[in-house]
C-alpha cells in the first residue's frame, strides 16, 4: 500500500504549530507482537477418501465454478479416465462420506462428475510421450485393464492390451445395459484412452494360462485383469443355452447381438439371483417385451444389487419372489419350475420350510454369480487386478485397482518405493498415503457460511417410457442445476478463494490469489483468518 | 455475501495499534470500504484514538480529527457545515466513537445534533466498557458482565441503555444496529446510511478480546453468537418507517452459549443466567421474535 505523505500539503512550519500526522502506521511492524502465525495448508476432503480412485472432488468443483470446465475435466481425469461412465454407474462411495450428509444431504457428486465427464468426452488427452523402452502386457480390456494401461501410458510406458473379445470395455460394454450406460459414452472414453498413444490393442486374443507364462518372458511386467467370466451355477441346474441361460452370458448376448435380442418377445422368463446381473438381465428382457419374475433366496432388502437398481426395477414392473429357490425343473413344452420356500439360510446352507409352488415359464436365467476362469499366482512380474483379484465389485474399484497396479509396476520397474509421490499428475497414490494427510471433517466446517439447501434431485424417464426401449433412465439436469449443486460443496480442506480470511483480517495482511499469502511483517497472529475460513484451510502454528 | 465482489481498496493502513483480533479496527476497515474516500472521521477519546497511531502517524487513508470526549457530534456538525459552505456538500462526515463516548459522555451532543437534523453519520462501536482506560463499566455494559469496576459482575439492577430507541425517538434519517460478524447486514446498513440524508446513527457491537476475556480468534464468533442468542438484535429504522428486525435465526440459541465463550461472564451462576435469559426472552417477545 502507498504511504500517505502529507509533506507536500503541509509546511514544516505548520507541523510545528499543529499536531498533524505526516506518515502512516506502517512504521509499526506489528508482526513482532505475534506468538503464532497463520499457515496455509490444503487438506483432504472426506469424499476424496471415500472415492476408491481418490478423485480430488473439491478441486474440480472449484474449477467448474470458476467457469473453467476444461481444467475441471483434467483434474478429474488425472485420477479417473472414466468420469462419464462413473457419473452414471458408480454407487458413489464419495457421497457416503460427504461432510454435507450430516447437514442437509450429501452433495450429488455423481451428477457433477457426469456433467464434467460428458464435457470431457470430446476432449482428447494430450499425446503420451514414450519415456522408457520397458513394455507391459495388460490382459483384459475391462475398466481395470484400461485404467492400468492409461496410467502406464501416461507415465511413458509402452503397453499392449490383450482382449478376448473383438472389442474393448469388458462389462462396460457387454454387462451394464445401455439404459444405464449408453454404449457411445463408454466407447468414447475408451477411445480417448487408446488415442492418447503408447497403447497397442490386440483383440480376439484369449490369454490362456500357458500363454500368460510366455508373455511373462517377453514383457517387463504383466497385469492380469480378466474379470470373472466363469458362471457359478447351482448344482441342480444345467445350462443348455436354449431355455436355460447364465445371466452373464445372456446379458452379453443381448448386449452385443441385436438379432438374438429380437428373438425373445412376449415370453415369460424367470431370473434367479439378487445381484446386479439378475436385475440388469431382468430389466433388459422386460424391455424386449417379456414378462419377468426374479426369484431370490433371501429378501429383496438383503439382495446385493444397488438400491437404485432395485427401486427402478420395481417401478418398471419387475415381479420379485423373495425367499424362494428352484428345487426342480421339468422340461416340457415350457419349463415347469418347482419353487421351495426358504425358512432360513445358515452358513450358506439353505433350509426349506417345505412349502412349494409351481410356476411355468418359457425360459430360465441363472444369475447367481461369477468365478475365476483359472487361478494365477502373483509374482515379481505378474500383477493382478480388478474383479479377478478382489472379487465382483464395482467399476470404480476396478479403475482404482488398475491405477494402483500401474504405479506398483512403475515403482517395481524403476526400483522406487511404492509410496513415491508423483506430484505432476496425481493427487494421491493410495489409501495408505492418507495417513500423512489431514482430513477435514464436519466439525472443522464453519457452518455459518452455508445455508441449508436440499440436494439436487435428478429426474428420470417415467417407468412407462423406459420399458419401451433402451433410452437412458436418468435424465441430464440443466446446467444451472448442476452449478447450484456444485455450489453446495463445502470444498472441505481445499481453498476456493472465497476471501473470507481476507475479509476478516483486521490488519489487512491477506492476499488471496492462487492460494493465500500472509503479510507476516504486520500480521498480529490473531487467528481470525483461521477460525473464519469456512473449510479448515488455515492453521495457526507456533511462531518464535 | 460473496467477498470476492468487495473492492480491494483499503483505507485502513497496516501497523495500527489495535489489539490482535479487535473488531473495532476490522469494523472501521469495512465501514470505510462502503463510505469511500470522500469521508472525514471525527473521533473522541477511545481505544480508536490509540489504534489510529501515535503522532506523526495515522492508520487511515482519509482525514481523521481527534476531538475532546464529549464533543464528537458537535464538532462533526460544524465540520459538515463548513464543507457545505466550502461547496463540498458530498463529504461524509462520520463520528466514530466508543460506547463510553456515546452512551455516557457524548450523549448530550448526539441528542443535540440529532434534534438539529445535522447531516452526519454517527457510528458507535460498542465494546461494552471503557476499554482504553482499563475496562471500566459504562452504561452499555450488560448486566452480569465483569469489568474492573464491577469485579463481581455488573449488578442485575442495571439494564444496558437502549441507545437504538433513544436515537429513534429523535426521528433520525436512519438508525440501525449491526455487527461485522454479519457481513451482509453490515454492508447493507452502511450503504443505507451513506445514501440517506440527515442524522444517521449506527450502533455496532464490537468485540474486544482483552475486555471480553476471549481468545482473539473467537472475536467474530462471539459477536455472531450475540446475534444468534438474541442478546444483540440487528435492526433498523429508516425515516418514518417502522422498526425492522433484519436478522432472525431459525431458532435462538440459549444465551449460555454466548456467555460460555467469554471470561467476563465466567462467574455467572445458573440462576443469574436464567434471569438474564428471561429478560432476553421478554425483549424478543416484545419485538415479535419469539
Ligand atoms: C450386469 C452387471 C452390472 C454391473 N453394474 C455395475 C454398476 O452399475 N456399477 C458398478 O460400479 N459396477 C457394476 N458392475 C460391476 C463392474 O462391471 C465390474 O466390477 C467391473 O467391470 C470389473 O472390471 P474388470 O476390468 O475387473 O473386469 P471386466 O469388466 O469383467 O473386464 C474383463 C475383461 O477381460 C477380458 N478377458 C477375460 N478373460 C480374458 C483372457 N483370458 N484373455 C484376454 N482377455 C480376457 C474380458 O473379455 C473383459 O473385456 C456390474 C457388473 C455386472 C456383471
Ligand atoms: C474528558 C476525558 N475524560 C476521560 C478521558 C480518558 N479516556 C480516554 S479513552 C476513555 C475510554 C473510552 O471508552 P469508550 O468510549 O467506551 O471507548 P473504548 O476505549 O472502549 O473503545 C477514557 C475514559 C479522556 N480522554 N477525556
Ligand atoms: S467415481 Fe464414484 S466414488 Fe469416485 S467420485 Fe465419482 S461417483 Fe464418487
Ligand atoms: S462438501 Fe464437497 S468437499 Fe466436502 S465432502 Fe462433500 S463433496 Fe467433498
Ligand atoms: S477463507 Fe477462503 S480464501 Fe481464505 S483460505 Fe479459506 S478457502 Fe481460501
Ligand atoms: S487475521 Fe490477519 S492478523 Fe490475524 S492471524 Fe490472520 S493474517 Fe494475521
Ligand atoms: Mg468501549
Amino acid at each position: 500500500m502507498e504511504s500517505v505523505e502529507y509533506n507536500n500539503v503541509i509546511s514544516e512550519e505548520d507541523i510545528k504549530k499543529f499536531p498533524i500526522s505526516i506518515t502512516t502506521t506502517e512504521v509499526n511492524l506489528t508482526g513482532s507482537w505475534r506468538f503464532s502465525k497463520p499457515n496455509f495448508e490444503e487438506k483432504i476432503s472426506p469424499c476424496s477418501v471415500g472415492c476408491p480412485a481418490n478423485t480430488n472432488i473439491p478441486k474440480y468443483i472449484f474449477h467448474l465454478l470458476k467457469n473453467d470446465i476444461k481444467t475441471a475435466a483434467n483434474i478429474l481425469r488425472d485420477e479417473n479416465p472414466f468420469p462419464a461412465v462413473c457419473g452414471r454407474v458408480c454407487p458413489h462411495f464419495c457421497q457416503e462420506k460427504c461432510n454435507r450428509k450430516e447437514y442437509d444431504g450429501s452433495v450429488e457428486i455423481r451428477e457433477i462428475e457426469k456433467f464434467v465427464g460428458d464435457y470431457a468426452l470430446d476432449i482428447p488427452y494430450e499425446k503420451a510421450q514414450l519415456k522408457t523402452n520397458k513394455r507391459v502386457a495388460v490382459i483384459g480390456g475391462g475398466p481395470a485393464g484400461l485404467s492400468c494401461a492409461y496410467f502406464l501410458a501416461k507415465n511413458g510406458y509402452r503397453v499392449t492390451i490383450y482382449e478376448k473379445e473383438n472389442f474393448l470395455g469388458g462389462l462396460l460394454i457387454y454387462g451394464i445395459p445401455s439404459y444405464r450406460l449408453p454404449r457411445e459414452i463408454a466407447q468414447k472414453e475408451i477411445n480417448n484412452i487408446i488415442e492418447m498413444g503408447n497403447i497397442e490393442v490386440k483383440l480376439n486374443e484369449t490369454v490362456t494360462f500357458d500363454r500368460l507364462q510366455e508373455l511373462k518372458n517377453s514383457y517387463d511386467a504383466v497385469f492380469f485383469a480378466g474379470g470373472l467370466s466363469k458362471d457359478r451355477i447351482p448344482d441342480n441346474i444345467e445350462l443348455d443355452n436354449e431355455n436355460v441361460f447364465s445371466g452373464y452370458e445372456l446379458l452379453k448376448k443381448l448386449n452385443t447381438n441385436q438379432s438374438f435380442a429380437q428373438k425373445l418377445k412376449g415370453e415369460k422368463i424367470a431370473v434367479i439371483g439378487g445381484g446386479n446381473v439378475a436385475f440388469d438381465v431382468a430389466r433388459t428382457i422386460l424391455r424386449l417385451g417379456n414378462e419377468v419374475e426374479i426369484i431370490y433366496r433371501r429378501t429383496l432388502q438383503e439382495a446385493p444389487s444397488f438400491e437404485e437398481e432395485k427401486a427402478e426395477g420395481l417401478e418398471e414392473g419387475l415381479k420379485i419372489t423373495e425367499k424362494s429357490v428352484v428345487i426342480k425343473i421339468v422340461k416340457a413344452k415350457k419349463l415347469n419350475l418347482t419353487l421351495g420356500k426358504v425358512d432360513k439360510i445358515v452358513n450358506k446352507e439353505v433350509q426349506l420350510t417345505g412349502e412349494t409352488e409351481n410356476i411355468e415359464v418359457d425360459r430360465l436365467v441363472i444369475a447367481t454369480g461369477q468365478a475365476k476362469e483359472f487361478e494365477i499366482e502373483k509374482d515379481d512380474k505378474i500383477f493382478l487386478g480388478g474383479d479377478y483379484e478382489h472379487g465382483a465389485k464395482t467399476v470404480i474399484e476396478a479403475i482404482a485397482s488398475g491405477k494402483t497396479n500401474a504405479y506398483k509396476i512403475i515403482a517395481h520397474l524403476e526400483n522406487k518405493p511404492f509410496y513415491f509421490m508423483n506430484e505432476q499428475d496425481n493427487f494421491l497414490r493410495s489409501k495408505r498415503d492418507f495417513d500423512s494427510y489431514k482430513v477435514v471433517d464436519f466439525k472443522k466446517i464453519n457452518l455459518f457460511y452455508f445455508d441449508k439447501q436440499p440436494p439436487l434431485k435428478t429426474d428420470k424417464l417415467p417407468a412407462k417410457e423406459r420399458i419401451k426401449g433402451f433410452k437412458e433412465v436418468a435424465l441430464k439436469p440443466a446446467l444451472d442445476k448442476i452449478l447450484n449443486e456444485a455450489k453446495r460443496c463445502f470444498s472441505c480442506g481445499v481453498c476456493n478463494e472465497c476471501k473470507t480470511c481476507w475479509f476478516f483480517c483486521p490488519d489487512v495482511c491477506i492476499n488471496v490469489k492462487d492460494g493465500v499469502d500472509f503479510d507476516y511483517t504486520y500480521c498480529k497472529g490473531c487467528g481470525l483468518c483461521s477460525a473464519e475460513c469456512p473449510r479448515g484451510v488455515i492453521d495457526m502454528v507456533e511462531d518464535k | 455475501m460473496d467477498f470476492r465482489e468487495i473492492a480491494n481498496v483499503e483505507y485502513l493502513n497496516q501497523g495500527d495499534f489495535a489489539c490482535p483480533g479487535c473488531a473495532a479496527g476490522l469494523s472501521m476497515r469495512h465501514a470505510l470500504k462502503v463510505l469511500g474516500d470522500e469521508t472525514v472521521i471525527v473521533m473522541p477519546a477511545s481505544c480508536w484514538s490509540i489504534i489510529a497511531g501515535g503522532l506523526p502517524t495515522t492508520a487511515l487513508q482519509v482525514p481523521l480529527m481527534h476531538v475532546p470526549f464529549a464533543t464528537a457530534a458537535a464538532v462533526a456538525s460544524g465540520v459538515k457545515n463548513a464543507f457545505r459552505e466550502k461547496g463540498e456538500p458530498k463529504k461524509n462526515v462520520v463520528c466514530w466513537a466508543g460506547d463510553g463516548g456515546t452512551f455516557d459522555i457524548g450523549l448530550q451532543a448526539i441528542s443535540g445534533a440529532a434534534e438539529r437534523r445535522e447531516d452526519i453519520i454517527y457510528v458507535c462501536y460498542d465494546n461494552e466498557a471503557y476499554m482504553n482506560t482499563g475496562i471500566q463499566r459504562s452504561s452499555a455494559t450488560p448486566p452480569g458482565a465483569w469489568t474492573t469496576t464491577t469485579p463481581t459482575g455488573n449488578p442485575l439492577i442495571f439494564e444496558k441503555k437502549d441507545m437504538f430507541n433513544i436515537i429513534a425517538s429523535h426521528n433520525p434519517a436512519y438508525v440501525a444496529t449491526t455487527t461485522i460478524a454479519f457481513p451482509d447486514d453490515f454492508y447493507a446498513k452502511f450503504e443505507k446510511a451513506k445514501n440517506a440524508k440527515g442524522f444517521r446513527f449506527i450502533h455496532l457491537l464490537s468485540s474486544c478480546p482483552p475486555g471480553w476475556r476471549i481468545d482473539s480468534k473467537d472475536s467474530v464468533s462471539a459477536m455472531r453468537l450475540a446475534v444468534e442468542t438474541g442478546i444483540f438484535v440487528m435492526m433498523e429504522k429508516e425515516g418514518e418507517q417502522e422498526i425492522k428486525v433484519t436478522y432472525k435465526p431459525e431458532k435462538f440459541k440459549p444465551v449460555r452459549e454466548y456467555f460460555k465463550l467469554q471470561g467476563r461472564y465466567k462467574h455467572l451462576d445458573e440462576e443469574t443466567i436464567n434471569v438474564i435469559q428471561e429478560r432476553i426472552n421478554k425483549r424478543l417477545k416484545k419485538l415479535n421474535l419469539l
Side-chain angles (χ1 to χ4, degrees):
Chain A
M1 195 187 303
E2 240 177 85
S3 295
V4 186
E5 295 295 347
Y6 295 111
N7 293 349
N8 37 10
V9 258
I10 290 162
S11 71
E12 287 291 320
E13 280 308 299
D14 287 342
I15 294 168
K16 282 179 197 150
K17 281 185 253 161
F18 310 108
I20 290 178
S21 301
I22 51 166
T23 181
T24 79
T25 46
E26 282 162 6
V27 297
N28 312 319
L29 307 184
T30 47
S32 64
W33 300 6
R34 197 171 57 225
F35 294 107
S36 62
K37 68 174 182 184
N39 184 41
F40 179 86
E41 190 195 354
E42 290 199 325
K43 305 184 182 65
I44 306 295
S45 58
C47 56
S48 294
V49 181
C51 172
N54 306 140
T55 327
N56 195 342
I57 293 159
K59 203 73 169 180
Y60 78 72
I61 288 184
F62 167 57
H63 287 281
L64 172 67
L65 288 173
K66 271 217 312 206
N67 240 331
D68 185 1
I69 183 165
K70 213 164 173 170
T71 305
N74 287 339
I75 292 168
L76 186 45
R77 295 200 300 191
D78 270 350
E79 307 304 330
N80 173 3
F82 287 105
V85 167
C86 290
R88 291 175 166 80
V89 304
C90 187
H92 47 61
F93 300 104
C94 51
Q95 288 177 214
E96 289 313 306
K97 289 274 160 67
C98 175
N99 271 338
R100 196 123 192 168
K101 190 174 181 181
E102 300 188 37
Y103 192 51
D104 56 1
S106 299
V107 175
E108 272 295 332
I109 301 169
R110 210 175 65 172
E111 285 301 329
I112 303 170
E113 179 180 31
K114 175 163 96 183
F115 180 83
V116 177
D118 281 358
Y119 174 87
L121 289 174
D122 296 321
I123 309 177
Y125 289 103
E126 222 173 272
K127 282 274 172 265
Q129 304 299 316
L130 210 54
K131 291 187 196 148
T132 155
N133 50 20
K134 298 224 164 92
R135 293 157 67 242
V136 181
V138 168
I139 321 297
L146 286 165
S147 155
C148 183
Y150 166 80
F151 286 102
L152 286 170
K154 227 163 89 124
N155 282 283
Y157 282 74
R158 203 195 296 272
V159 183
T160 312
I161 301 179
Y162 291 83
E163 167 57 52
K164 179 164 84 175
E165 302 291 333
N166 67 349
F167 52 84
L168 290 173
L171 290 171
L172 301 184
I173 300 292
Y174 63 68
I176 304 175
S178 59
Y179 57 85
R180 292 204 290 120
L181 175 60
R183 292 284 170 274
E184 64 275 15
I185 301 284
Q187 200 55 58
K188 271 190 177 174
E189 292 199 317
I190 296 167
N191 295 349
N192 281 339
I193 295 173
I194 305 303
E195 279 158 20
M196 187 175 77
N198 289 359
I199 303 174
E200 189 192 349
V201 178
K202 295 193 177 211
L203 298 175
N204 302 309
E205 288 262 5
T206 304
V207 176
T208 57
F209 185 81
D210 297 336
R211 182 76 198 287
L212 188 70
Q213 308 310 316
E214 287 169 35
L215 292 179
K216 191 176 153 184
N217 294 328
S218 41
Y219 287 87
D220 295 289
V222 178
F223 177 59
F224 189 88
L228 302 171
S229 45
K230 207 174 117 198
D231 293 310
R232 247 182 9 216
I233 304 294
D235 297 338
N236 65 341
I237 296 174
E238 226 172 274
L239 303 180
D240 62 10
N241 285 328
E242 188 51 47
N243 297 64
V244 186
F245 294 92
S246 105
Y248 185 88
E249 283 304 321
L250 180 63
L251 205 46
K252 194 162 168 179
K253 261 190 164 150
L254 293 172
N255 278 333
T256 55
N257 182 339
Q258 278 302 317
S259 58
F260 176 81
Q262 292 316 314
K263 262 181 39 186
L264 304 183
K265 194 163 265 168
E267 297 188 344
K268 183 163 182 210
I269 302 176
V271 177
I272 302 178
N276 282 322
V277 179
F279 276 83
D280 279 336
V281 78
R283 292 176 70 192
T284 299
I285 44 193
L286 191 78
R287 281 166 167 74
L288 294 168
N290 303 287
E291 192 188 324
V292 189
E293 176 172 351
I294 286 184
I295 298 161
Y296 183 50
R297 58 200 178 122
R298 300 174 195 264
T299 60
L300 178 62
Q301 212 191 345
E302 292 166 279
S305 169
F306 300 142
E307 292 306 321
E308 201 175 16
E309 273 242 57
K310 295 187 209 169
E312 287 176 4
L314 290 177
E315 285 164 17
E316 288 162 8
L318 280 187
K319 198 178 150 216
I320 296 168
T321 305
E322 296 175 301
K323 299 190 83 165
S324 297
V325 289
V326 175
I327 46 178
K328 203 166 112 199
I329 305 173
V330 178
K331 286 189 191 175
K333 213 166 146 227
K334 296 196 173 198
L335 296 175
N336 286 312
L337 309 181
T338 308
L339 306 185
K341 213 70 208 134
V342 175
D343 180 25
K344 52 186 173 208
I345 301 177
V346 184
N347 299 330
K348 292 187 179 174
E349 204 55 54
V350 175
Q351 297 177 7
L352 300 173
T353 60
E355 239 178 294
T356 59
E357 185 192 347
N358 287 314
I359 61 169
E360 199 185 53
V361 296
D362 295 294
R363 294 175 213 256
L364 178 63
V365 185
I366 322 293
T368 46
Q370 300 299 124
K372 289 180 189 179
E373 190 86 51
F374 46 77
E375 278 298 334
I376 305 166
E377 292 287 315
K378 266 190 232 193
D379 63 26
D380 61 341
K381 273 182 113 177
I382 296 188
F383 295 78
L384 310 176
D387 277 1
Y388 181 86
E389 196 229 351
H390 55 223
K393 286 190 169 176
T394 60
V395 173
I396 190 64
E397 285 162 297
I399 293 165
S401 136
K403 175 156 105 174
T404 308
N405 276 288
Y407 284 104
K408 272 190 191 168
I409 290 170
I410 295 172
H412 177 66
L413 296 181
E414 292 178 11
N415 257 326
K416 286 183 185 163
F418 172 47
Y419 295 110
F420 75 104
M421 293 300 287
N422 184 337
E423 284 93 0
Q424 278 93 52
D425 61 355
N426 269 75
F427 166 48
L428 289 172
R429 202 56 65 228
S430 79
K431 278 260 154 59
R432 209 187 296 174
D433 286 335
F434 284 120
D435 296 349
S436 55
Y437 287 92
K438 295 172 191 154
V439 177
V440 168
D441 59 18
F442 185 61
K443 287 195 298 291
K444 297 207 188 87
I445 302 296
N446 190 334
L447 293 174
F448 175 72
Y449 298 100
F450 304 99
D451 292 333
K452 284 203 174 163
Q453 194 196 325
L456 166 74
K457 268 217 150 52
T458 336
D459 292 329
K460 288 179 184 170
L461 211 59
K464 277 204 306 271
E465 281 299 309
R466 286 187 224 154
I467 55 170
K468 288 184 194 153
F470 285 81
K471 271 203 208 142
E472 192 170 1
V473 170
L475 300 175
K476 271 187 150 186
L479 173 65
D480 60 320
K481 290 212 168 139
I482 292 289
L483 294 181
N484 225 15
E485 189 60 15
K487 282 187 203 142
R488 288 182 70 242
C489 171
F490 291 150
S491 194
C492 309
V494 172
C495 175
N496 65 358
E497 296 175 10
C498 69
K499 291 186 79 173
T500 307
C501 52
W502 167 85
F503 185 91
F504 283 108
C505 175
D507 294 288
V508 203
C509 289
I510 293 182
N511 187 26
V512 179
K513 195 171 180 287
D514 304 324
V516 173
D517 281 326
F518 302 97
D519 186 341
Y520 293 120
T521 312
Y522 295 101
C523 162
K524 295 171 187 165
C526 69
L528 273 178
C529 50
S530 164
E532 290 307 313
C533 172
R535 43 195 62 83
V537 176
I538 302 174
D539 304 309
M540 295 306 286
V541 296
E542 206 189 322
D543 189 23
K544 281 151 213 151
Chain B
M1 182 167 204
D2 189 346
F3 297 132
R4 285 169 282 215
E5 281 164 17
I6 298 173
N8 257 323
V9 55
E10 299 288 354
Y11 299 96
L12 177 69
N13 297 324
Q14 292 176 305
D16 71 27
F17 279 147
C19 300
C22 171
L26 180 62
S27 302
M28 176 70 95
R29 177 179 165 222
H30 290 290
L32 286 178
K33 276 177 188 277
V34 182
L35 298 171
D37 47 12
E38 286 295 295
T39 301
V40 173
I41 302 285
V42 175
M43 187 177 279
S46 59
C47 275
W48 241 104
S49 322
I50 305 302
I51 298 171
L55 262 178
T57 70
T58 174
L60 296 187
Q61 295 275 326
V62 297
L64 179 167
M65 291 174 73
H66 292 284
V67 302
F69 223 143
T71 67
V75 174
S77 309
V79 171
K80 175 70 196 189
N81 287 313
F83 274 123
R84 190 181 295 125
E85 290 303 312
K86 272 184 75 191
E88 296 180 55
K90 288 224 150 67
K91 279 270 191 252
N92 297 315
V93 178
V94 177
C95 290
W96 190 273
D99 49 295
T102 304
F103 286 59
D104 299 342
I105 302 174
L107 193 54
Q108 41 71 24
I110 299 167
S111 175
E115 182 269 333
R116 294 192 306 276
R117 306 262 186 279
E118 296 289 356
D119 189 22
I120 60 171
I121 302 176
Y122 192 106
V123 181
C124 169
Y125 71 96
D126 174 11
N127 48 27
E128 307 194 312
Y130 290 78
M131 294 307 181
N132 183 50
T133 39
I135 323 177
Q136 292 86 8
R137 176 197 178 276
S138 78
S139 57
T141 303
W146 164 91
T147 66
T148 53
T149 49
T150 53
T152 56
N154 193 24
L156 294 191
I157 46 163
F158 298 127
E159 293 258 19
K160 183 177 169 111
K161 195 182 277 180
D162 186 355
M163 205 59 201
F164 179 91
N165 277 311
I166 292 172
I167 301 297
S169 67
H170 290 73
N171 292 318
Y174 185 67
V175 53
T177 58
T178 185
T179 148
I180 194 62
F182 286 77
D184 300 271
D185 197 80
F186 182 100
Y187 266 71
K189 283 172 178 168
F190 270 92
E191 202 65 60
K192 277 187 185 168
K194 182 186 179 184
N195 295 330
K197 217 179 137 41
F199 188 80
R200 292 147 285 166
F201 187 98
I202 295 184
H203 173 195
L204 297 178
L205 183 67
S206 179
S207 54
C208 163
W212 290 15
R213 296 288 188 251
I214 56 175
D215 192 316
S216 55
K217 74 171 184 353
D218 295 326
S219 83
V220 170
S221 41
M223 295 186 286
R224 191 175 290 142
L225 270 171
V227 175
E228 288 170 346
T229 57
I231 195 169
F232 185 79
V233 179
M234 298 200 298
M235 48 194 188
E236 66 180 2
K237 185 175 181 313
E238 292 176 73
E240 298 299 309
Q241 295 178 30
E242 292 296 307
I243 293 173
K244 199 162 79 204
V245 172
T246 55
Y247 177 86
K248 180 179 185 278
E250 239 173 74
K251 189 172 178 288
F252 284 99
K253 293 181 177 165
V255 74
R256 177 176 290 104
E257 284 186 33
Y258 174 62
F259 289 164
K260 214 169 51 191
L261 198 63
Q262 306 174 55
R264 64 171 170 157
Y265 291 113
K266 78 161 189 278
H267 56 280
L268 294 187
D269 56 20
E270 281 300 300
E271 203 185 324
T272 316
I273 295 176
N274 290 340
V275 171
I276 297 171
Q277 183 69 64
E278 268 316 302
R279 283 194 199 173
I280 293 170
N281 292 352
K282 218 167 110 189
R283 171 148 185 261
L284 293 177
K285 271 190 201 124
K286 230 164 128 183
L287 287 165
N288 274 327
L289 296 174
L290 270 190

